Amino acid sequence: MENVTIALTGNPNSGKTSVFNELTGANQYVGNWPGVTVEKKEGRLKKEKAVFIQDLPGIYSLSPYSPEEVVTREYLLNDSPDAILNVVDATNLERNLYLTTQLLELGVPVVIALNMIDLVKKQGDVLNTEKLAYGLGVPVVATSALKHRGIDQVINLTVEKAQKRETPVFPRYDDRLEAALVQIEEIIAGKVPDTQIRWFSIKLFERETSVQQLVSLTEQEDDTIEEIILITEKIFGDDSESIVVNERYDWLEKMIALAQIEHQESHRIVS
Ligand code: GDP
Ligand code: K
Ligand code: MG
């Protein structure tokens, strides 16, 4: 088997290190507080040594504001893992899937481990993993790193997606925002990796300075992008960063509605 590298990514305390330990047989420290893993840790899949697993620092967003965000973001953008295994705390879907919206924009295959599913059950809740997978456009597997459930299934799927390099369809937002993003993409095409163009266009729309520095644009191109942003801000009556945040939450709301099912359907659900 050819080597593949899989990046474990998710919010702090979603269970990344627990999943890492399950997969690799390692014994990394699992702590019930955020920020335990600031450095990356790499291991190999127990049953298939050609699969490298990278445990990344827990983050809430792909912004460059905390050391964890910088380490994780630089790894995901520059070290090109073959797939992202996004560990999601199923008891806190909205906050966790907010990061997912950004991971889907990186041009890397994504598979979701809907972790802590034992706690969801304990609370008497049911989640429809099939509908959620349909909405997100990526596989979703209910897991419990604590009870050793779903881990084999989720890693097998992730390796499969990594081998096929099956990249997700990123979330589509309001047409008025999409129009701006398409125009920015036309300007930066060829100046950023093709697979990451969506991510770069959104970051430039947000006027993120660290990304502006990464893309070499002429002064005129810079001005054109600023014009596009200003027009869009006027249309929305909001600043560009807030526009993106609101669009992400609007999209998430629909995803969460898909996941949370009515009781009469619950007999069809496997978790
Ligand atoms: P990380 O910060 O994402 O690396 O998360 P950890 O692996 O350190 O886990 C955080 C806490 O959640 C620890 O107390 C784990 O034992 C616990 N944990 C991890 N996965 C599960 C799970 O599936 N179910 C339950 N109930 N607890 C879990
Ligand atoms: K932790
Ligand atoms: Mg950890």
Side-chain angles (χ1 to χ4, degrees):
M1 189 185 149
E2 233 180 285
N3 285 343
V4 292
T5 301
I6 290 166
L8 285 181
T9 314
N11 284 183
N13 281 334
S14 57
K16 294 175 302 302
T17 302
S18 303
V19 171
F20 178 86
N21 287 345
E22 280 281 299
L23 293 173
T24 62
N27 208 3
Q28 294 292 348
Y29 186 70
V30 168
N32 195 17
W33 60 82
V36 162
T37 319
V38 179
E39 75 274 35
K40 318 184 287 258
K41 293 200 181 70
E42 196 185 76
R44 285 162 188 260
L45 190 60
K46 247 186 308 188
K47 56 172 191 185
E48 175 54 76
K49 300 296 178 204
V51 178
F52 289 83
I53 312 283
Q54 184 79 58
D55 189 15
L56 292 171
I59 51 170
Y60 296 107
S61 161
L62 284 178
S63 322
Y65 302 129
S66 69
E68 290 85 357
E69 284 170 348
V70 170
V71 170
T72 296
R73 169 165 140 163
E74 282 185 356
Y75 179 84
L76 293 176
L77 282 176
N78 305 329
D79 291 45
S80 43
D82 299 296
I84 293 171
L85 177 48
N86 179 199
V87 182
V88 162
D89 174 354
T91 67
N92 215 325
L93 269 186
E94 188 175 27
R95 200 186 62 193
N96 279 254
L97 291 178
Y98 185 75
L99 174 66
T100 307
T101 64
Q102 298 169 59
L103 299 176
L104 293 174
E105 288 156 1
L106 290 171
V108 178
V110 173
V111 172
I112 292 178
L114 202 58
N115 197 39
M116 312 257 180
I117 207 70
D118 56 301
L119 294 181
V120 173
K121 277 189 182 168
K122 218 172 170 180
Q123 291 166 6
D125 294 330
V126 216
L127 293 174
N128 190 329
T129 52
E130 274 174 33
K131 278 194 185 170
L132 184 59
Y134 171 78
L136 296 170
V138 297
V140 176
V141 179
T143 65
S144 168
L146 193 74
K147 310 226 169 197
H148 318 289
R149 294 243 352 248
I151 304 293
D152 276 349
Q153 196 195 344
V154 83
I155 193 64
N156 289 345
L157 266 171
T158 313
V159 170
E160 192 188 312
K161 296 289 170 193
Q163 287 169 327
K164 292 192 196 153
R165 303 262 345 144
E166 217 174 279
T167 56
V169 178
F170 46 77
R172 290 226 154 252
Y173 301 124
D174 187 293
D175 285 348
R176 298 167 300 170
L177 172 57
E178 291 297 337
L181 295 175
V182 166
Q183 292 176 64
I184 296 175
E185 278 171 30
E186 277 167 13
I187 295 168
I188 63 175
K191 298 175 193 254
V192 301
D194 283 348
T195 52
Q196 297 174 353
I197 195 164
R198 174 76 174 181
W199 189 82
F200 273 96
S201 69
I202 292 178
K203 289 294 153 189
L204 289 173
F205 181 79
E206 292 176 315
R207 296 193 185 89
E208 200 188 284
T209 37
S210 64
V211 170
Q212 288 170 334
Q213 286 156 6
L214 279 178
V215 190
S216 43
L217 296 169
T218 64
E219 206 171 304
Q220 201 196 335
E221 287 167 334
D222 266 334
D223 291 347
T224 310
I225 290 179
E226 183 56 26
E227 267 171 49
I228 296 167
I229 300 170
L230 286 172
I231 291 168
T232 314
E233 288 181 321
K234 214 168 165 189
I235 295 173
F236 275 86
D238 209 348
D239 67 279
S240 72
E241 242 186 298
S242 307
I243 293 171
V244 174
V245 170
N246 289 335
E247 287 300 316
R248 289 194 194 284
Y249 276 111
D250 279 356
W251 188 81
L252 275 179
E253 217 175 281
K254 291 178 217 147
M255 295 306 124
I256 289 164
L258 281 175
Q260 289 169 342
I261 56 159
E262 294 104 67
H263 270 292
Q264 63 264 31
E265 327 181 45
S266 63
H267 63 280
R268 289 199 275 114
I269 303 318
V270 205
S271 62

